[in-house]
Amino acid sequence: MAELPNCPQCSSPYTYEDGLQLVCPECGYEWTATDEVSEQETLEVKDANGNPLQDGDTVTIVKDLKVKGSSMPLKIGTKVKGIRLVDGDHNIDCKIPGFGAMQLKSEFVKKN
Ligand SMILES: [Zn+2]
């Protein structure tokens, strides 16, 4: 059996489990067990087909995209290597040869 954590209120070692909760008999504090350090919230980014994307993936642009500050559009079929997922409206950070660093929306790419 896993060892129960001490009471966060009074540090009592006599805590016990009551269903999903932990209870301290000394001070009466009740809390929910969370021994495992919760993982860092992972970004959920999906491509045009609904497949999950990950940092480092290679994707293909599925739609001609206008690029701010450039007269050339980003062409459908352009491969983008080593994407990095970020939080926000444009949720992919990447570098594209000929364009440099830019941000894309995941809905306009598909995973290779
Ligand atoms: Zn306690």
Side-chain angles (χ1 to χ4, degrees):
M1 268 199 21
E3 208 168 294
L4 296 175
N6 288 355
C7 173
Q9 290 284 91
C10 69
S11 303
S12 163
Y14 303 112
T15 53
Y16 62 89
E17 276 178 302
D18 182 15
L20 289 174
Q21 292 212 300
L22 293 171
V23 181
C24 173
E26 295 200 47
C27 70
Y29 187 67
E30 294 180 9
W31 72 103
T32 309
T34 50
D35 321 298
E36 281 165 51
V37 179
S38 56
E39 277 179 45
Q40 224 183 349
E41 207 172 306
T42 48
L43 289 169
E44 190 155 303
V45 175
K46 290 182 175 171
D47 72 1
N49 299 322
N51 294 316
L53 296 171
Q54 291 182 326
D55 282 352
D57 275 351
T58 299
V59 297
T60 303
I61 307 289
V62 296
K63 181 179 185 286
D64 282 353
L65 298 172
K66 278 187 190 157
V67 179
K68 242 187 222 171
S70 169
S71 53
M72 281 194 305
L74 198 50
K75 286 282 195 190
I76 184 169
T78 303
K79 274 192 185 173
V80 183
K81 287 183 186 172
I83 62 167
R84 199 167 67 83
L85 305 181
V86 293
D87 213 357
D89 180 36
H90 287 66
N91 46 12
I92 295 175
D93 241 358
C94 57
K95 269 193 185 152
I96 301 177
F99 291 93
M102 57 187 298
Q103 295 198 315
L104 297 171
K105 290 188 183 187
S106 60
E107 67 209 73
F108 297 137
V109 303
K110 73 176 164 61
K111 191 170 171 159
N112 282 40

